[in-house]
Amino acid sequence: IFDEAHRLEEVVAQYFGIDLSNFSILRLLSLIYNPRTNRGIIPRITMSSLKRAELSSVLDECRNGVTEFFAKIQSQFKPNEIKRRIKEPNITENNLDEPLQKLHTILAELVTQEENLDLAGELASLTKRVALTRQCIERFLNLEDKNSVYWIDLNPPDRLTLKSALIDVSKIFAAKVFHRIPSVIMTSATLTVNRDFSFLKQRLGANNCQTLLLDSPFDYQNQALLYLTQSLPLPNEENKFYSACAKAIDEILKLSQGRALILFTSYQALKAIYERVKKDAFNFWVQGEAPVFKLLETFRDDVSSVLFATQSFWQGVDVPGEALSCLVITRLPFDVPDDPRLEGVAEHLKEQGKEPFYSFQLPQAVLRFRQGFGRLIRNKKDRGVVCVLDKRIIERSYGKSFIDSLPKNLPVAFNINAIAHFFKNS
């Protein structure tokens, strides 16, 4: 049984991909032995002084190799560049392979010699991780999987990460799940686009499955209101949009008396709009200022407060009650155009003669939008307003896909006074 199955494609694409940074390799080496703290597994193992010296030397080689390897890659980045897709193999020489191979050989030998079963198990695990690190580096440099997209992240500036993700997960997911397990159940509140399962069935290779679409148990006609506005600039007019968005949020918060979650699609927009809103009437909380669980706890307890959030807060966040009486979606949640996996998926779809926007980007955005919308009404007693500040939902032909994917009996308003009327009758 897969719950929250709308996330399966993303999870599978990443699981079978690569996510390897200079920090993660150095952390692995420190688990074996950290000379600064004299910690790791090596001080707990009995071995000859000669073998200990050999191992220490190899670990030094690995650390130096990490520094040199990632420095060579970083030197290819332009100033202020934080992400680069890799399309050609062998972007740098693999000077890390030999020292990692030496380290693997020594650790594998120690596993066979260790009599303490617990230590032998730890050693075996570390040995396997060294082997996987070697494999990941080789896979990345060779770009060996044609069904993957490869890129490098340099954010923050001292952390460089090699990444890859599957482009099409349908075949591998079907082979490893549907063809092996007699009965598979996938559930989520957001598996359909326009009340149709076709998009996720195709993306997950679940073409022969049975489907069941159940109506929501909530009375949206009386519990909620959807407010749409056409008065703001388009989101691509960033400075104008940020200023107008902040003013609209100020107006909405007056009517809702705070009690609002404001959802963004990027930290850049969150920061820009947060700097422009008035903060004299309510307490404001911003994602990143504290751990997620602490932010949500504070937001629940301080009923009139306002929470600015992005990314993970679009789904899985559960704040029933008065504290979340107003949900503001500042922008329709399309993937950013320069997302490497999106580029790879788009190229793959074009090769199949399909239009990437309508066959992937739009359905994905609709599912995310529905997840964000679902943060508002969490039980049969909740009441609240969802405000969408991106006028594309009204002005673009594809906006109908977002609206049609929401509950059918949801009241829709285009005049901000409807918000005041709604809360007056709460």
Side-chain angles (χ1 to χ4, degrees), residues 58 62 89 102 121 132 144 200 204 288 291 299 315 325 333 340 358 364:
V58 170
C62 289
K102 290 180 186 176
L132 287 172
E144 65 177 37
L200 281 182
L204 296 174
F299 179 56
Q315 55 189 339
S325 296
Y358 288 101
Q364 281 280 64

Side-chain angles (χ1 to χ4, degrees), residues 216-225 377 379-384 407 409-411 422:
S216 170
F218 304 135
D219 179 10
Y220 281 100
Q221 187 168 356
N222 294 302
Q223 288 184 255
L225 172 71
I377 304 298
N379 59 44
K380 292 184 178 181
K381 294 182 180 179
D382 278 349
R383 294 188 85 252
N409 57 347
L410 176 69
F422 179 89

